[in-house]
Amino acid sequence: MTYVIAQPCVDVKDKACIEECPVDCIYEGQRSLYIHPDECVDCGACEPVCPVEAIFYEDDTPEEWKDYYKANVEFFDDLGSPGGASKLGLIERDHAFIAALEPQNQGEH
């Protein structure tokens, strides 16, 4: 099990969760943040600090956002497990599901 970043983060990327994560497992894509499923230690520190309430425990992800779990996992197919987001910085891509979305959350941040 892991935490998932869902739709409210797309095109917002507040990054409060990154600052709170003790294991540096939240990576930044072009339009969204992604939690590495193998690096996450399920501590839950990221969830309460997200100002747009985009982070959910995998089993608690709202039904309309279930596809975000797959996007979070598959985002790392090419990256593998780098062992920390800070050394990579911005990753100049997104999962295809995220990349195909219309602009999101405009004016909400």
Side-chain angles (χ1 to χ4, degrees), residues 18-34:
I18 291 174
E19 295 169 18
E20 199 66 33
C21 180
V23 293
D24 194 28
C25 72
I26 303 173
Y27 292 73
E28 182 181 5
Q30 282 290 113
R31 297 181 61 196
S32 188
L33 302 176
Y34 301 85

Side-chain angles (χ1 to χ4, degrees), residues 36-38 70-82 93 95:
H36 196 297
D38 296 330
K70 183 178 178 183
N72 271 254
V73 171
E74 291 178 355
F75 180 75
F76 298 98
D77 284 354
D78 294 339
L79 288 176
S81 187
R93 65 174 179 81
H95 183 274

Side-chain angles (χ1 to χ4, degrees), residues 2-100:
T2 189
Y3 281 83
V4 175
I5 297 178
Q7 185 275 332
C9 183
V10 177
D11 296 325
V12 172
K13 299 191 316 182
D14 174 80
K15 301 183 191 173
C17 57
I18 291 174
E19 295 169 18
E20 199 66 33
C21 180
V23 293
D24 194 28
C25 72
I26 303 173
Y27 292 73
E28 182 181 5
Q30 282 290 113
R31 297 181 61 196
S32 188
L33 302 176
Y34 301 85
I35 297 176
H36 196 297
D38 296 330
E39 295 176 6
C40 177
V41 294
D42 298 335
C43 70
C46 57
E47 186 179 17
V49 300
C50 179
V52 294
E53 299 179 357
I55 302 173
F56 301 91
Y57 192 65
E58 177 185 341
D59 289 344
D60 297 333
T61 306
E63 192 61 39
E64 69 266 26
W65 295 331
K66 290 291 185 184
D67 290 340
Y68 286 83
Y69 170 75
K70 183 178 178 183
N72 271 254
V73 171
E74 291 178 355
F75 180 75
F76 298 98
D77 284 354
D78 294 339
L79 288 176
S81 187
S86 60
K87 61 182 162 187
L88 292 186
L90 175 66
I91 299 164
E92 300 281 339
R93 65 174 179 81
D94 280 295
H95 183 274
F97 173 75
I98 305 293

